Amino acid sequence: MAKDTSVDLRNQVIYQVFPRQFSDTANFKGVTKELDRIQKLGVDILYLLPIHPIGNLHKKGTLGCPYSIMDYRKINPDLGTMKDFKELIFEAHKRDIKVMIDIVFNHTSKDSYILNAHPEWMFRKNGEISSKVGDWWDVTDLDFSNLALWNELLRVLRYWAKQGIDGYRCDVASMIPLDFWILARKELKKINSNFILLAESIDFNFVKEIRDAGFDAASDCELYQAFDMEYDYDIWSLYDKFIKTKEGLKDWVKGLKCQESLYPKNYIKVHALENHDRERITNFIQDEAQLKNFTALIYLLKGATFLYAGQEACDKKMESLFDLDPIDWSTLGKYGMSEFMRRCYQIKKDPIVLEGIYKIHDTDQDVIHLTYCFGKDVLECIFNMGNVEGSISTTLLDGRYINIINDEMLEIKDGKLTIDKNPVVMKGQNTFLILK
């Protein structure tokens, strides 16, 4: 892993915004206008989908896909001007919110400035400019065997870093040579020693598929040499199975536990329930208590938390990438989700979540039980993922405790806690350490 990655990033909350769909104005100004609300929600990093002009050739839908980029150095005029973008950065920074933008270097649009100026930098199949993934028919891939391309893309990275942004979310980072990312990290750190790199790593099956097709694809373990944080796509299929079938929780938990030994000691995964490529969680979980258990879980798993704009409104729609399709904000306030997220954010900022020893405990129920221990102190977290009734063994001394996630009073008796449908977060002293 990048040796200078700070584990402080584990208590960060990332908020993903697709500017086109975020507000009535569908631009940067619409995002800037909502920064106070975003700050109140509890957000450390604002992550914007690609902000660059979209290609017209072979365009998908009426407006095109933001991942089909025509010019890396320009702003999509539909979103506003460079002045508008810098105002967004300035206002975010005033609220102690960092700004991260999407960088898409695996491919460009089929009418990009790179393709027109340097067709020799494009990937070819049977002599024709092409892409490695058939479904991405609106784009064409770049050929990283040409080092002149590296120099151009490094110039692009330096350019935006000097505009005041704080990090990049790197699209399908696994499909781009690791050596490029290692070099890019060195260059960016010269501009900002705290610059953040988040990899959209790809799931294991996709890695194998790309490799079987004769191409390179970096594993999550390899990517940690260059990146600070990675997606949790390594276990997404296990999570996906559970939310869709209500089966396989133990497999998902096993995947979470494997991350602890599989990756470097200072590894950081970003834990999400949804994003622009994945269906909204409320398509599968409508029950308020269960939804709050899932939500609290992604805040308190070891790693950063990833939210997709509209999640706080319990939006059920997977907004189109290709057409104007704004978020339905009419349900903002449903279940008091914004306030609940704010409470989860406050708990996440407790030093024990950064400094404590993290453990996921085995249970025989559809419950995820994890603890953070620091000295004699313990933060005990119990997430009732299957609306289970009954009791669960705890690590805390018998007594009465406040559930700091909802201020209810709970009692542990004979080492057991009776659970209801609500998530539980309690802070106390560890029985084992005290008796020892």
Side-chain angles (χ1 to χ4, degrees):
M1 187 174 177
K3 292 182 180 180
D4 58 347
T5 291
S6 171
V7 294
D8 289 354
L9 289 171
R10 286 182 182 147
N11 78 352
Q12 301 288 282
V13 172
I14 302 169
Y15 186 78
Q16 180 188 23
V17 170
F18 186 2
R20 177 198 292 168
Q21 315 296 24
F22 184 74
S23 69
D24 292 341
T25 56
N27 57 19
F28 294 136
K29 288 182 179 295
V31 181
T32 303
K33 185 179 178 181
E34 290 295 312
L35 283 175
D36 285 338
R37 184 186 65 79
I38 293 170
Q39 179 190 36
K40 187 177 179 181
L41 184 67
V43 170
D44 301 292
I45 302 171
L46 177 71
Y47 149 43
L48 304 174
L49 263 70
I51 62 172
H52 310 297
I54 296 170
N56 291 304
L57 189 62
H58 294 190
K59 181 169 63 177
K60 289 184 176 180
T62 56
L63 297 178
C65 178
Y67 290 89
S68 177
I69 293 171
M70 185 184 295
D71 193 330
Y72 291 125
R73 283 190 177 82
K74 293 182 180 178
I75 295 279
N76 182 345
D78 292 342
L79 300 181
T81 64
M82 178 64 84
K83 180 181 177 182
D84 297 331
F85 179 57
K86 287 194 171 183
E87 181 184 3
L88 172 55
I89 296 172
F90 176 77
E91 292 295 331
H93 285 173
K94 272 176 51 177
R95 294 163 175 80
D96 293 323
I97 298 173
K98 300 179 179 69
V99 177
M100 174 184 291
I101 66 170
D102 226 320
I103 202 74
V104 186
F105 281 171
N106 180 68
H107 47 262
T108 74
S109 70
K110 294 188 174 181
D111 51 1
S112 70
Y113 79 93
I114 285 184
L115 187 150
N116 289 323
H118 295 283
E120 71 276 13
W121 292 355
M122 310 310 294
F123 169 76
R124 294 174 184 272
K125 185 185 294 183
N126 300 323
E128 297 293 325
I129 291 174
S130 183
S131 60
K132 304 180 188 75
V133 180
D135 184 50
W136 300 349
W137 48 262
D138 59 330
V139 297
T140 182
D141 287 7
L142 294 168
D143 180 1
F144 278 81
S145 68
N146 194 317
L147 293 183
L149 170 65
W150 289 37
N151 290 329
E152 168 62 13
L153 298 183
L154 289 171
R155 284 192 289 268
V156 169
L157 293 176
R158 289 191 292 263
Y159 172 77
W160 289 106
K162 290 177 180 178
Q163 306 309 311
I165 65 167
D166 305 283
Y168 291 122
R169 177 269 192 188
C170 301
D171 191 60
V172 287
S174 309
M175 296 175 65
I176 294 168
L178 179 60
D179 286 343
F180 172 81
W181 292 127
I182 291 173
L183 180 58
R185 182 182 185 85
K186 291 178 180 177
E187 292 296 305
L188 291 166
K189 288 293 183 177
K190 294 175 185 177
I191 299 169
N192 178 357
S193 61
N194 296 313
F195 204 85
I196 301 167
L197 288 175
L198 165 62
E200 187 204 19
S201 47
I202 59 180
D203 70 73
F204 295 151
N205 291 329
F206 195 17
V207 169
K208 186 177 188 315
E209 180 182 330
I210 295 297
R211 290 175 175 177
D212 287 350
F215 307 110
D216 290 332
S219 68
D220 283 31
C221 293
E222 292 172 304
L223 285 175
Y224 272 126
Q225 296 177 61
F227 288 88
D228 300 298
M229 301 187 284
E230 295 182 5
Y231 274 40
D232 60 353
Y233 279 175
D234 54 331
I235 57 170
W236 189 275
S237 62
L238 306 175
Y239 156 76
D240 199 46
K241 177 182 177 182
F242 179 66
I243 63 169
K244 290 178 178 178
T245 69
K246 309 302 183 289
E247 297 178 355
L249 179 64
K250 288 185 178 180
D251 292 333
W252 180 24
V253 170
K254 183 178 179 180
L256 287 166
K257 293 173 76 170
C258 282
Q259 290 178 337
E260 279 289 275
S261 55
L262 186 61
Y263 302 126
K265 185 177 180 180
N266 62 336
Y267 85 96
I268 301 170
K269 281 285 182 179
V270 292
H271 299 290
L273 300 178
E274 57 190 45
N275 62 45
H276 73 276
D277 280 327
R278 307 290 175 168
E279 290 184 77
R280 297 281 191 176
I281 181 67
T282 46
N283 282 296
F284 310 104
I285 307 293
Q286 287 88 39
D287 178 79
E288 177 183 350
Q290 198 173 13
L291 185 60
K292 287 183 174 177
N293 275 280
F294 274 84
T295 301
L297 175 67
I298 62 164
Y299 277 88
L300 289 168
L301 286 171
K302 183 175 178 179
T305 300
F306 186 104
L307 306 174
Y308 184 33
Q311 189 171 334
E312 67 270 41
C314 304
D315 186 17
K316 295 184 69 172
K317 182 173 58 174
M318 186 177 176
E319 286 76 23
S320 171
L321 273 180
F322 318 126
D323 304 285
L324 188 62
D325 185 21
I327 293 169
D328 179 7
W329 291 109
S330 67
T331 52
L332 185 63
K334 185 176 182 180
Y335 298 151
M337 190 57 71
S338 292
E339 293 75 15
F340 182 78
M341 287 177 168
R342 177 64 180 173
R343 177 64 65 95
C344 291
Y345 177 81
Q346 292 168 343
I347 298 170
K348 189 176 184 67
K349 294 300 182 180
D350 189 312
I352 198 171
V353 178
L354 278 181
E355 300 167 359
I357 296 172
Y358 168 78
K359 181 177 180 180
I360 302 178
H361 301 263
D362 293 323
T363 75
D364 293 325
Q365 304 160 293
D366 276 353
V367 173
I368 295 181
H369 178 196
L370 60 90
T371 53
Y372 289 91
C373 295
F374 188 75
K376 293 181 179 180
D377 294 326
V378 59
L379 188 72
E380 185 132 24
C381 311
I382 299 166
F383 307 104
N384 192 342
M385 311 303 288
N387 285 342
V388 173
E389 296 181 357
S391 62
I392 188 169
S393 296
T394 74
T395 67
L396 294 175
L397 289 168
D398 283 3
R400 292 171 65 79
Y401 295 86
I402 295 175
N403 182 1
I404 57 178
I405 210 160
N406 61 11
D407 296 326
E408 291 183 353
M409 190 63 70
L410 303 173
E411 184 174 11
I412 298 174
K413 188 174 182 179
D414 298 327
K416 290 187 176 293
L417 174 72
T418 299
I419 58 174
D420 58 20
K421 296 192 299 182
N422 297 307
V424 172
V425 181
M426 302 176 293
K427 195 170 185 181
Q429 292 193 314
N430 188 299
T431 305
F432 173 75
L433 289 172
I434 291 173
L435 295 178
K436 185 178 178 182

